[in-house]
Amino acid sequence: CGISFAHLRRPGPPILRAEIADGGYRLSGTAPWVTGWGLMGQFVFGAELPDGRFLYLWSPVERSEYSDAFETPLPADTGSLAASAPLPLCTMNASATVTLALTDWFVPEAHCLAESNRETLRRSDRNGVLGATAMPMGCAAAGVRLLKETADKRGIAAVGRASEAFAEEWRTLDGELRSRSARSGEEGFFERAVQLRGRCINLATRAAHACVAACSGAANLLSHPAQRLVRESMFYAVQAQTPEVMEATLIGLQGADSAPD
């Protein structure tokens, strides 16, 4: 089952709207990032009601395949879904990600999984801010390994020093993450945690860039590991992004270690 609700974090008018209808809800608008299209036959959509509440609604793509799941008869007109061509992503292109246009798409009331609002989503994002650090840290670790392999292969002292420096930075940051995760109940946790999140993104980005420099022209090949790491680090820079994470990322990329006073 795929999911599509990151768009709920966007400011401004909702791009996927929910309206209360007889026996359920109707969805209209755009689901901009739907991953697994053609591979998954059902999705959970996040949509916003006119009063600002968020709904998480489960729906199959093909009604006939899931007819036994409906507890009440469907209306004659269940609306429509239209998928774009797979989006040409710079990384993780095999994810079969499309944009969906929904027009009066009907979802029975029984298939409303949860109700939320913007503040609840914001609180959840803040509480889970360190949950997305494993991916950029893994990307950075892969960068350290590639630098070490390149140093051993090419015998260039500067590459070896870079490998050691990034490895030491990774170990320090990993220790800080483990320590901070164990103190999630402390006052000021989020402010410190979001800085750590930005530093993880920054480390992955710099380590990947260092791999490109160390591997020289070969890194320009799409098949080269350094090229893969550069594109992957870019994805982690925007994954589960909130305004606070964006700010922490930008501060880190400017060379600062913490937010301004």
Side-chain angles (χ1 to χ4, degrees), residues 182-256:
R183 296 149 59 193
S184 60
E186 292 184 3
E187 183 178 354
F189 166 78
F190 174 76
E191 289 73 17
R192 294 177 176 84
V194 76
Q195 291 176 22
L196 286 175
R197 171 83 175 275
R199 286 171 59 191
C200 292
I201 293 169
N202 176 263
L203 176 58
T205 302
R206 290 187 293 108
H209 197 169
C211 288
V212 171
C215 296
S216 305
N220 199 35
L221 293 168
L222 283 176
S223 58
H224 196 281
Q227 178 62 223
R228 152 74 183 267
L229 291 176
V230 167
R231 290 179 286 125
E232 190 169 329
S233 68
M234 193 207 74
F235 173 80
Y236 297 139
V238 298
Q239 183 190 30
Q241 187 185 67
T242 65
E244 296 92 343
V245 172
M246 178 193 289
E247 181 179 1
T249 303
L250 293 174
I251 288 171
L253 293 174
Q254 294 172 69

Side-chain angles (χ1 to χ4, degrees), residues 146-203:
L146 181 56
L147 285 170
K148 177 67 166 57
E149 292 168 3
T150 303
D152 293 343
K153 179 180 179 180
R154 303 186 68 183
I156 301 175
V159 178
R161 290 194 297 270
S163 171
E164 294 170 2
F166 279 113
E168 178 59 31
E169 185 176 353
W170 190 96
R171 287 190 291 269
T172 299
L173 186 51
D174 180 61
E176 291 183 43
L177 285 169
R178 294 175 185 274
S179 173
R180 183 59 55 188
S181 295
R183 296 149 59 193
S184 60
E186 292 184 3
E187 183 178 354
F189 166 78
F190 174 76
E191 289 73 17
R192 294 177 176 84
V194 76
Q195 291 176 22
L196 286 175
R197 171 83 175 275
R199 286 171 59 191
C200 292
I201 293 169
N202 176 263
L203 176 58

Side-chain angles (χ1 to χ4, degrees), residues 25-120:
Y25 306 92
R26 287 193 180 270
L27 305 182
S28 294
T30 302
W33 299 97
V34 179
T35 293
W37 186 256
L39 304 174
M40 303 182 191
Q42 49 188 318
F43 292 88
V44 174
F45 295 106
E48 185 171 342
L49 287 165
D51 62 8
R53 285 179 293 158
F54 293 163
L55 298 179
Y56 297 88
L57 304 157
W58 171 83
S59 178
V61 174
E62 298 293 338
R63 305 293 199 185
S64 59
E65 295 182 12
Y66 294 85
S67 58
D68 293 341
F70 294 104
E71 299 174 0
T72 57
L74 293 174
D77 179 11
T78 58
S80 64
L81 289 176
S84 71
L87 301 177
L89 305 178
C90 74
T91 188
M92 302 187 184
N93 206 39
S95 61
T97 298
V98 302
T99 293
L100 278 186
L102 296 87
T103 304
D104 292 330
W105 185 252
F106 181 78
V107 179
E109 185 176 1
H111 294 169
C112 180
L113 303 181
E115 181 181 309
S116 182
N117 55 46
R118 191 169 299 279
E119 179 55 33
T120 300

